[in-house]
Amino acid sequence: MDTYSSHGKLVRDRIPQIIRERGADPVTYVAGPDEYRRRLRDKLGEEVAEFLGADEESAPEELADVMEVVRALAMDLGVDADHLEKIRDGKAGERGGFAKRIVWTGNR
């Protein structure tokens, strides 16, 4: 089983390079499969929280970050972006989307 350090966080692949270009020396390691999945789930929560706290100007950028983590989670589950879209499209065809802004308040 992986050692899941409480320190550090999952970062995008190019972040260590960007840190080096700015003159610092990043300390990193590659997470094992179990830790990676846990850290991706943590990252999803982090990115969703950032989206929920964003103003309208920064919301699209934060939403793109959510999508990047969702894509990584899907790939980790063995589902590529096209298959994920097919699943989403199938559910939308079966149950609809959210475009009509319907709010359910219960049954009579």
Side-chain angles (χ1 to χ4, degrees), residues 8-58:
K9 68 178 189 173
L10 188 65
V11 295
R12 289 175 178 262
D13 298 340
R14 292 194 60 243
I15 294 301
Q17 175 186 342
I18 292 167
I19 292 170
R20 279 191 290 278
E21 289 168 357
R22 293 180 180 168
D25 186 18
V27 177
T28 65
Y29 68 92
V30 176
D34 292 341
E35 179 184 355
Y36 176 61
R37 186 168 286 173
R38 286 191 302 270
R39 287 196 182 264
L40 274 175
R41 289 171 184 246
D42 291 346
K43 190 66 158 182
L44 181 59
E46 175 188 327
E47 297 298 351
V48 167
E50 289 177 10
F51 169 73
L52 293 174
D55 59 23
E56 285 198 32
E57 185 177 330
S58 61

Side-chain angles (χ1 to χ4, degrees), residues 50-107:
E50 289 177 10
F51 169 73
L52 293 174
D55 59 23
E56 285 198 32
E57 185 177 330
S58 61
E61 187 132 341
E62 298 300 341
L63 193 55
D65 289 343
V66 171
M67 288 179 64
E68 188 66 30
V69 177
V70 167
R71 288 176 66 123
L73 280 162
M75 291 298 289
D76 187 58
L77 293 170
V79 178
D80 67 23
D82 290 338
H83 187 211
L84 187 62
E85 175 58 21
K86 286 178 186 173
I87 294 169
R88 187 214 57 80
D89 190 54
K91 290 186 89 168
E94 190 176 301
R95 302 184 73 136
F98 297 96
K100 294 182 180 179
R101 300 184 288 191
I102 297 169
V103 176
W104 178 52
T105 61
N107 297 332

